[in-house]
Every structure is written in structure tokens, then in C-alpha cells.
């Protein structure tokens, strides 16, 4: 199920457990991912029959798992987040081992579900408008502990190592709402040692998981990683495409959009000809030869779909599934899927369940589908056959132009469908990543003081100045060899 990778420049925890079937870092058949999530949902259902549950998925890697459980179990769901939501209060906690330590959960929604402010027969308040709590919840006075219906909060994770992060948020919730709640952790993997498990048991925190793992050897496995994979820094400018970003790459970018190679530390001039699912990268022998029928530039189409439910806010799993069904119907009506096509469906950062759902539906049409997502996790890549990740694309985030995000192991597909809940970008901000600044400035002003034009092949498609995140991602897809790109925004109610 999993392989061990090495985190980049992380002294608190040098390894990352990479799940081959989760649909995050490694491209996966969406059915396999959803079947794995369903197996965990079955354990949770069996353990807590008759209880009212609130599921809380952890950003960014467990958001699809949590949503899948909420869909199957018919429960309330929300997720933690690192993004900003206007008009709400948060409970903040830290994930100390992570590359991005600050986490938060919307307090207004916890109030609604814990204090009994929610009537299941009424729709949820719109995002940003949590509504007033019922007087009965606070009738003992503002200084009294709130009264609420007994319920269980289940935190959903892909893997639990020490349990420290979940322990922090449980203590925060107990301080805020009192001791009357029950807590559980549901995870695909559980790597907690005996002391950590004993602490949870003594505090009445239940553990449900698919596989028990021993993480004691993982730090040593990560140390063995050879940092000899392929790295690309994908600037937003179409003329720059994705240039090799590591000093150790001795071969310059050849200009071929299909392959950028590096010199192996074990065997000189031997790029790794890996295969991802049914899609193979071009071999070393033909990587510099133009392929017949390749169009200059790429076909790019974008459209928006309404009916979005923000998974960072409290909602019913059934409602989200219904919304995903409507999303798929609109996508199916606008994109020509042909049986036998190789298709990649990409999610973005915390937004993962809807792309998996759509990928599953596309597969029913006779296509071969893979799903994975961009991520904030900087992970070293290696040519090692036993290592999970081999090629890394460094991108500008769709959610924050000041943030770097990553995508791993792109291959060549007949079509790439990006589905995101990121709002349209509003142009360059002052916090635009410094490492991309020179390229943007060079694009803005020529020697004559006039703005340069894009190359003819990309004209009229993406304005890199206004939408650097989208341009950066599309350049990565183009560089990997795929030519037909559809970009779907699902961020409107």
C-alpha cells in the first residue's frame, strides 16, 4: 500500500509515507482509491452504529478520505484547512512536523453542530453567515459551559504517526466545549507506538484503522534516498516552459516538451524510463525526436460550474455527493470523452474528492483514467525503482500567488482535466514568489519599454501575468507531453 519518501529540508520528520492508492502524490485508478476509502468507512460504520457522527478530514492529504466516509455513512462533514475563509472564526492548532505547520478549523461550524444549533431539517447557513445560536444552548449564562447533544467527532487521516496533532485539536475542543464529547480517529494507516496508543486509550479516544504500521525504520529508509530525480521549475511564462531547477542537472533542457533528463549518479546519461499505469514516458533513444502529429502549443479550454459546496464548511456528505453528480453531468455535456482515451484528472491541494468522483465516472465511459493532485509537500525525487516519486514540477499555487506548490510524476495523456475550487486569479500580488519574479518582469517590459507578446502558439489562451498559477500548471502539463487541457472551476454556489 505505501512507500517511504524523503521530505525536503525537514528536520522534525525526514520521511513521508506515500500511499500508492490514495490519489494524492502518485497517479492512481480512481476506483482503487475510492474502494480503499470505502473499506475504512465500513469499519467506522460497524464500530459506531446508532451514533451521530461529525467527521473532520485533515488537510491536505485526507480531505478526500473524510468526504468519502461522510458520503458513505451519511454524516455531517467538514475539514481542517490552511486557506482563508472570510467572515468566520477559527480554532487554530499546529502540525509541527509538517512543511506548513498552521492548521485551523471553522469554529462557527463546530458551534453549530456541537451546541445543537443545527436543525437537520433546515439548510445550513451560507458560508460566512453562521447564524445565531439558539438561546437554549446558552440559557445558563455566558460563563457557563454550553449544553449540547451527545455526539462523537471522528478525525479522519491518511496516516497517524504520533497522534500529537489530533491530540492538540481534541484538547482545544474540550477547553472550548467541555468534556461531554466522544472522540475517535479513523485512518488508513496507524503508526502510533505503544505509549501513544496508551495515552489515547486512557483519555477515551478510540482508534479505527485499516493497517497497523511500524514507523521505526522509516527515518533510516528516507536517509537512503538518492536525490537524483528530475526537477522542473515551471514558470508562468509559456516561452520559458519548465526548466530544470537543480544545479545537479548537467544536461540542459533540450526544448523537447516530452522529456527533461538528468545525469544519473550511478550510470551517466541514463534518464529513468519509468511507466505510470498505462502511460509510458518517451524512451531515452527517442526523447529528442519530434513525434508525428504533435501540435505546436496546446488546446486549452476553461469553464465554470455552479452548485459548489465548500468542504471546509459544515455540510452533509449526501449533499456533497449530489453536488458532485451535477458537476459531472455538466462536465460530460461540455467535454467530448472518447472510449479508450488515456485521461488524467487533477485535483488541487486540499480539493481532491470531486476529481476522484469525476474520474470514476469518466472511467465508466470506457476511458482509462488516473487521478492525483497538486500538493504543498516538497518531497525529494529519485530514479530508484523502489522509490515512489521520480519527477517533480514546482508550480505557482492556484490559491495564493505567493505560495509554491508541487506536482509529481506527470505522464503523457490524451486529455488532462484539471478540476479546482480555486477562485479565478486576480493578477500579480506583491507576494508573488521571488524565484519567479525575474521571468515576470522580463515578460512585462522589453528593451523598448513595451510589453512583450506571448509566442503565437499560446496567444489568447492564458495571460501569465493575470493568472500565474494556472499558466504554471498548464506549462507543466504541456511539458510532460499532454496537449489537450480542460480547466474546470467549481467555486460558485
Amino acid at each position: 500500500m505505501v512507500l517511504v519518501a524523503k521530505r525536503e529540508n525537514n528536520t522534525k520528520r525526514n520521511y513521508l509515507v506515500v500511499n500508492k492508492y490514495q490519489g494524492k502524490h502518485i497517479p492512481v485508478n480512481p476506483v482503487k482509491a475510492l474502494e480503499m476509502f470505502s473499506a475504512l468507512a465500513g469499519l467506522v460504520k460497524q464500530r459506531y452504529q446508532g451514533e451521530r457522527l461529525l467527521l473532520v478530514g485533515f488537510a491536505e492529504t485526507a480531505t478526500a478520505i473524510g468526504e468519502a466516509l461522510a458520503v458513505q455513512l451519511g454524516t455531517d462533514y467538514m475539514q481542517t484547512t490552511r486557506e482563508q475563509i472570510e467572515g468566520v472564526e477559527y480554532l487554530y492548532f499546529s502540525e509541527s512536523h509538517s512543511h506548513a505547520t498552521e492548521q485551523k478549523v471553522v469554529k462557527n461550524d463546530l458551534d453549530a453542530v456541537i451546541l445543537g444549533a443545527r436543525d437537520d431539517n433546515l439548510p445550513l447557513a451560507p458560508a460566512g453567515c453562521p447564524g445565531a445560536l439558539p438561546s437554549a444552548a446558552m440559557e445558563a449564562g455566558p460563563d457557563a459551559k454550553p449544553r449540547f447533544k451527545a455526539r462523537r467527532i471522528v478525525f479522519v487521516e491518511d496516516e497517524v504517526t504520533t497522534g500529537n496533532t489530533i491530540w492538540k485539536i481534541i484538547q482545544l475542543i474540550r477547553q472550548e466545549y467541555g468534556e461531554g464529547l466522544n472522540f475517535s480517529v479513523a485512518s488508513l494507516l496507524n503508526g502510533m507506538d505503544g505509549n501513544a496508543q496508551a495515552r489515547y486509550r486512557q483519555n477515551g479516544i478510540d482508534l479505527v484503522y485499516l493497517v497497523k504500521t511500524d514507523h521505526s525504520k522509516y527515518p533510516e529508509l528516507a536517509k537512503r534516498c538518492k536525490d537524483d530525480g528530475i526537477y522542473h521549475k515551471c514558470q508562468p511564462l509559456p516561452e520559458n516552459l519548465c526548466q530544470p531547477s537543480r544545479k545537479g542537472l548537467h544536461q540542459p533542457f533540450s526544448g523537447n516538451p516530452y522529456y527533461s533528463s538528468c545525469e544519473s549518479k550511478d550510470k551517466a546519461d541514463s534518464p529513468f524510463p519509468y511507466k505510470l499505469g498505462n502511460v509510458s514516458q518517451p524512451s531515452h533513444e527517442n526523447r529528442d525526436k519530434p513525434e508525428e502529429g504533435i501540435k505546436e502549443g496546446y488546446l486549452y479550454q476553461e469553464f465554470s460550474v455552479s452548485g459548489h459546496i465548500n468542504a471546509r464548511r459544515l455540510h452533509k456528505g449526501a449533499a456533497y455527493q449530489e453536488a458532485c453528480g451535477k458537476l459531472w453531468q455538466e462536465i460530460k455535456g461540455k467535454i467530448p470523452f472518447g472510449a479508450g482515451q488515456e485521461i488524467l484528472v487533477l485535483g488541487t491541494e486540499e480539493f481532491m474528492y470531486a476529481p476522484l468522483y469525476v474520474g470514476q465516472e469518466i472511467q465508466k465511459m470506457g476511458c482509462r483514467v488516473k487521478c492525483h493532485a497538486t500538493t504543498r509537500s516538497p518531497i525529494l525525487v529519485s530514479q530508484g525503482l523502489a522509490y515512489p516519486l521520480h519527477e517533480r514540477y514546482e508550480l505557482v499555487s492556484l490559491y495564493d500567488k505567493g505560495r509554491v506548490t508541487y506536482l509529481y510524476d506527470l505522464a503523457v495523456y490524451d486529455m488532462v482535466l484539471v478540476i479546482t475550487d480555486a477562485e479565478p486569479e486576480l493578477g500579480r500580488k506583491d507576494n508573488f514568489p521571488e524565484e519567479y519574479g525575474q521571468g515576470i518582469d522580463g515578460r512585462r517590459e522589453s528593451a523598448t519599454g513595451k510589453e512583450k507578446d506571448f509566442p503565437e502558439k499560446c496567444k489568447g489562451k492564458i495571460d501569465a501575468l493575470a493568472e500565474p498559477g494556472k499558466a504554471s500548471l498548464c506549462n507543466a502539463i504541456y511539458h510532460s507531453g499532454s496537449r489537450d487541457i480542460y480547466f474546470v472551476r467549481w467555486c460558485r454556489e
Side-chain angles (χ1 to χ4, degrees), residues 154-155 157 160 166 183-187 200 205-209:
V154 181
F155 295 100
E157 269 282 28
V160 181
I166 296 176
F183 295 96
S184 297
V185 179
S187 60
Y200 267 54
I205 305 170
D206 199 18
L207 299 171
V208 183
Y209 49 84

Side-chain angles (χ1 to χ4, degrees), residues 102-273:
E102 294 305 315
Q103 282 259 35
K104 54 186 181 289
V105 65
V106 177
K107 182 180 179 299
N108 309 81
D109 293 338
L110 286 176
D111 287 348
V113 73
I114 294 174
L115 301 179
R118 173 165 178 186
D119 184 339
D120 287 335
N121 296 317
L122 297 176
L124 291 175
C129 306
L133 296 176
S135 58
M138 303 299 291
E139 64 184 8
D143 297 327
K145 289 293 183 183
R147 293 167 52 189
F148 50 85
K149 301 175 182 178
R151 64 168 54 236
R152 180 179 297 274
I153 298 180
V154 181
F155 295 100
V156 182
E157 269 282 28
D158 53 334
E159 60 99 10
V160 181
T161 304
T162 64
N164 289 336
T165 301
I166 296 176
W167 177 265
K168 292 174 185 176
I169 190 171
I170 288 176
Q171 301 317 305
L172 275 175
I173 292 174
R174 282 175 169 168
Q175 292 171 17
E176 184 71 27
Y177 300 104
E179 299 291 333
L181 286 166
N182 297 315
F183 295 96
S184 297
V185 179
S187 60
L188 301 176
L189 306 175
N190 185 304
M192 298 168 69
D193 62 22
N195 291 333
Q197 292 183 79
R199 179 174 67 160
Y200 267 54
R201 284 195 301 268
Q202 292 164 7
N203 284 270
I205 305 170
D206 199 18
L207 299 171
V208 183
Y209 49 84
L210 285 181
V211 179
K212 185 71 181 73
T213 54
D214 178 2
H215 289 213
S216 60
K217 296 181 180 179
Y218 291 176
E220 181 59 35
L221 288 173
K223 285 182 182 179
R224 300 177 193 169
C225 165
K226 289 185 177 181
D227 185 13
D228 61 354
I230 304 171
Y231 294 83
H232 310 277
K233 181 178 289 187
C234 296
Q235 298 190 22
L237 307 180
E239 57 265 48
N240 290 334
L241 292 175
C242 302
Q243 302 292 347
S245 63
R246 286 293 179 90
K247 294 179 181 179
L249 298 179
H250 301 296
Q251 296 185 24
F253 175 52
S254 66
N256 186 306
Y258 278 90
Y259 208 90
S260 179
S261 64
C262 68
E263 182 176 326
S264 170
K265 296 178 182 178
D266 298 321
K267 183 178 179 181
D269 193 25
S270 60
F272 183 63

Side-chain angles (χ1 to χ4, degrees), residues 298-370:
Y298 49 78
L299 170 65
Y300 171 83
Q301 296 186 44
E302 177 177 349
F303 58 91
S304 295
V305 178
S306 61
H308 172 246
I309 294 176
N310 188 349
R312 301 169 185 88
R313 301 299 308 272
L314 178 65
H315 63 276
K316 287 285 190 182
Y320 198 85
Q321 184 82 338
E322 182 180 355
C324 286
K326 294 177 179 177
L327 166 69
W328 161 238
Q329 290 301 319
E330 190 155 346
I331 288 174
K332 185 170 66 171
K334 293 185 177 181
I335 298 179
F337 297 105
Q341 285 183 309
E342 305 274 1
I343 296 177
L344 173 66
V345 182
L346 272 179
T348 55
E349 300 186 39
E350 296 178 3
F351 182 72
M352 294 170 57
Y353 179 80
L356 284 169
Y357 176 93
V358 170
Q360 175 184 248
E361 295 303 310
I362 296 173
Q363 193 156 282
K364 293 176 183 178
M365 301 182 72
C367 300
R368 293 187 291 275
V369 182
K370 297 290 183 184

